[in-house]
Amino acid sequence: DSDAARPTKDDLIAAFRVGSQGGPARRKFVAGRAIAAADGEERDVDDPPLELAPLLAGRACAHLFCARLRRDGYAQLALPPDMAALLRQTEAAAAAWFAAPEARKLEEAGAYGPASGTLAGFARGRNREQLELRLVKGGRGRGVYPALRGGDAAEPALTPLAERSMATLDRVARVLLAHVASDLGASPGFFASLLDPQLPAEEAAAEEE
């Protein structure tokens, strides 16, 4: 209980310097241990991932999520099976889309950059290709811009999968930000004014499923 037993700022700096001799992994380990001791708690830096479902339900494990953010700068999450399957399907559809000829990708997505009037579209860099999509209001309340050609049995359609994935991740991020705001002593909606408005098709999409 004595403050003398708690690491000081100089202790944390020294621990970081010692850890830096062993590279990023060692640096994270040593600094994480020192910060955990400074918080008065013994934690394992190899903590198992936190289940996302209880976090979305607003349960008490939110404090553990925020504690890991403070300690490590990130928190590993275990996704519900349906969400993990959606992201795997989206990844497979994206891989199929990128495998197409460059001319087709430019035709469908347009060229990325300010000259196009929007930061969306396809671009080829020196070492990679990139596709920027935006979640926008569509005919049924929500859509993806630019809309890409639908696939067939051999090439899954990227547009609907990207729409569902982006909307899902947007919803998750808003819930997690509310937990962070509460952990900081602010109201859960503190970050809401800093975000784009949530597109209204979230409930409609859920009803369709």
Side-chain angles (χ1 to χ4, degrees):
D1 295 335
S2 172
D3 289 340
R6 297 169 64 85
T8 65
K9 177 181 177 182
D10 289 339
D11 293 331
L12 297 179
I13 293 174
F16 186 86
R17 286 175 176 167
V18 171
S20 67
Q21 299 175 7
R26 176 66 179 168
R27 189 159 59 242
K28 173 195 164 197
F29 177 84
V30 174
R33 284 296 189 193
I35 293 170
D39 286 344
E41 300 179 25
E42 186 64 25
R43 304 191 192 107
D44 185 354
V45 294
D46 295 322
D47 296 316
L50 294 172
E51 295 291 336
L52 178 59
L55 283 170
L56 296 180
R59 297 179 189 167
C61 60
H63 78 280
L64 184 55
F65 167 74
C66 294
R68 292 191 184 180
L69 291 182
R70 288 195 303 271
R71 186 190 70 192
D72 299 327
Y74 70 95
Q76 291 186 319
L77 300 175
L79 304 182
D82 57 340
M83 190 181 299
L86 171 61
L87 295 181
R88 283 195 297 268
Q89 292 168 2
T90 305
E91 183 179 15
W97 190 86
F98 276 106
E102 182 172 341
R104 171 184 157 183
K105 288 179 284 194
L106 278 171
E107 178 186 358
E108 291 188 13
Y112 172 85
S116 67
T118 179
L119 294 180
F122 171 78
R124 172 186 284 279
R126 177 181 299 178
N127 299 313
R128 67 171 188 174
E129 296 180 339
Q130 72 177 52
L131 172 66
E132 293 284 343
L133 301 176
R134 295 288 182 265
L135 202 60
V136 296
K137 290 182 179 180
R140 64 181 182 87
R142 187 183 66 205
V144 169
Y145 177 83
L148 307 173
R149 184 180 306 167
D152 52 29
E155 180 183 338
L158 179 55
T159 296
L161 289 169
E163 177 188 335
R164 289 178 56 202
S165 292
M166 293 167 71
T168 297
L169 295 176
D170 178 76
R171 175 175 59 87
V172 169
R174 290 171 190 273
V175 173
L176 296 183
L177 280 174
H179 289 319
V180 171
S182 297
D183 188 73
L184 294 173
S187 67
F190 175 79
F191 292 109
S193 63
L194 305 177
L195 305 175
D196 291 334
Q198 189 169 17
L199 294 176
E202 198 67 41
E203 295 80 7
E207 291 174 0
E208 290 171 5
E209 294 173 0

